[in-house]
């Protein structure tokens, strides 16, 4: 097992997410922005991770994650999302409160603790924000989802995930009493700015901005 510092793990996880699991190369500037640091600092970290062969870097092309790096990143993601489930389901945290705490807990190294946590939670497949939890082999089923912004008038679906950990959006959804699994119908769409009127089950229709609907992931119901 490759020994990584907490900072190295955070960078590796960021590269995993930015590359969408290795599908795209990531620029140094994009990585620096995601980590809220300077490009020179991100460049130094890229060199360190490259030497450990968990990422690959090609000048003028960018950085990507190797198969070995992806295996490590998925274990970090798994821990993060399991801890979020624990914090919400067992300690009664709100879903907008758990991301920063899970960022700390995800660095715990004990594989036995992670597997017992998974069993204690009855092997959840999604975290409180609807993101899939990889199993111990790094496999997960995302399922076909689309951002609500891609829907048209009269389309129906079920709200299954949030595309951001921004607590302001999570708190707003709480205020509207919109939860994962809530069914919805698009009743109107303004072509000018992409805003929508959406009828959620057991709720009055609400208007949502395009900024919000791009972050609401929905499974279409035919």
């Amino acid at each position: 097992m490759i020994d990584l510092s907490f900072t190295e793990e955070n960078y590796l996880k960021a590269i995993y997410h930015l590359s969408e699991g290795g599908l795209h190369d990531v620029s140094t500037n994009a990585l620096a922005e995601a980590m809220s640091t300077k490009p020179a600092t991100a460049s130094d970290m890229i060199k360190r991770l490259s030497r450990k062969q968990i990422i690959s870097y090609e000048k003028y092309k960018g950085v990507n994650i190797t198969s070995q790096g992806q295996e490590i990143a998925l274990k970090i993601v798994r821990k993060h999302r399991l801890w979020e489930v624990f914090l919400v389901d067992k300690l009664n945290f709100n879903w907008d409160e758990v991301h920063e705490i899970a960022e700390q807990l995800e660095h715990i190294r004990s594989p036995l603790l992670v597997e017992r946590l998974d069993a204690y939670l009855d092997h959840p497949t999604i975290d409180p924000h609807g993101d899939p939890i990889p199993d111990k082999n790094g496999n997960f089923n995302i399922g076909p989802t689309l951002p609500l912004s891609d829907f048209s008038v009269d389309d129906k679906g079920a709200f299954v995930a949030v595309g951001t950990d921004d607590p302001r959006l999570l708190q707003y959804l709480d205020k509207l009493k919109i939860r994962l699994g809530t069914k919805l119908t698009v009743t109107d769409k303004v072509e000018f700015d992409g805003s929508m009127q959406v009828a959620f089950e057991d709720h009055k229709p609400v208007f949502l901005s395009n900024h919000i609907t791009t972050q609401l992931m929905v499974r279409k119901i035919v």
Side-chain angles (χ1 to χ4, degrees):
M1 181 68 179
I2 297 174
D3 187 34
L4 300 177
S5 68
F6 290 178
T7 303
E8 289 172 330
E9 287 188 349
N10 287 335
Y11 269 89
L12 182 65
K13 186 177 69 167
I15 294 168
Y16 171 79
H17 286 308
L18 290 169
S19 69
E20 297 185 35
L23 294 178
H24 310 289
D25 294 321
V26 179
S27 71
T28 302
N29 286 340
L31 180 59
E33 183 178 354
M35 298 302 296
S36 301
T37 190
K38 297 178 180 178
T41 303
S43 182
D44 287 342
M45 180 58 71
I46 287 171
K47 293 175 183 176
R48 287 170 58 181
L49 297 180
S50 294
R51 287 195 291 270
K52 296 186 177 185
Q53 299 183 331
I54 54 177
I55 65 168
S56 60
Y57 176 72
E58 188 174 335
K59 195 172 183 180
Y60 305 122
K61 186 177 179 183
V63 62
N64 211 326
I65 193 164
T66 65
S67 57
Q68 188 175 25
Q70 186 168 335
E71 182 180 344
I72 297 170
L74 283 168
K75 289 179 180 178
I76 300 169
V77 170
R78 172 172 165 78
K79 287 185 286 184
H80 182 103
R81 294 177 180 173
L82 284 172
W83 282 119
E84 287 195 336
V85 174
F86 175 77
L87 292 166
V88 170
D89 289 1
K90 304 302 180 181
L91 298 186
N92 299 316
F93 280 86
N94 294 325
W95 66 343
D96 60 289
E97 298 175 321
V98 296
H99 179 72
E100 294 301 324
I101 304 172
E103 286 279 300
Q104 302 170 51
L105 294 169
E106 70 185 26
H107 298 294
I108 293 175
R109 299 293 170 85
S110 170
L112 179 59
L113 174 60
V114 176
E115 295 317 307
R116 290 192 177 179
L117 176 64
D118 183 39
Y120 176 65
L121 297 171
D122 197 23
H123 309 290
T125 57
I126 60 171
D127 72 8
H129 311 108
D131 293 316
I133 300 174
D135 65 19
K136 62 182 179 181
N137 298 314
N139 301 314
F140 52 80
N141 179 22
I142 299 175
T145 62
L146 291 169
L148 180 57
S149 56
D150 286 1
F151 278 45
S152 302
V153 175
D154 294 330
D155 281 350
K156 301 179 185 299
F159 169 46
V160 296
V162 188
T164 176
D165 293 307
D166 189 333
R168 295 169 299 177
L169 176 57
L170 300 177
Q171 290 162 10
Y172 181 63
L173 295 176
D174 272 340
K175 183 178 179 180
L176 295 177
K177 299 188 181 344
I178 297 171
R179 300 285 188 271
L180 296 183
T182 300
K183 292 182 174 59
L184 60 89
T185 302
V186 177
T187 56
D188 193 15
K189 186 172 184 177
V190 180
E191 295 302 327
F192 173 69
D193 61 1
S195 60
M196 288 180 169
Q197 185 182 54
V198 183
F200 292 91
E201 57 182 334
D202 303 325
H203 299 81
K204 293 181 179 179
V206 295
F207 261 102
L208 300 175
S209 70
N210 181 256
H211 180 69
I212 291 176
T213 59
T214 56
Q215 298 298 330
L216 303 186
M217 302 306 296
V218 179
R219 182 170 291 112
K220 206 164 192 176
I221 298 174
V222 180

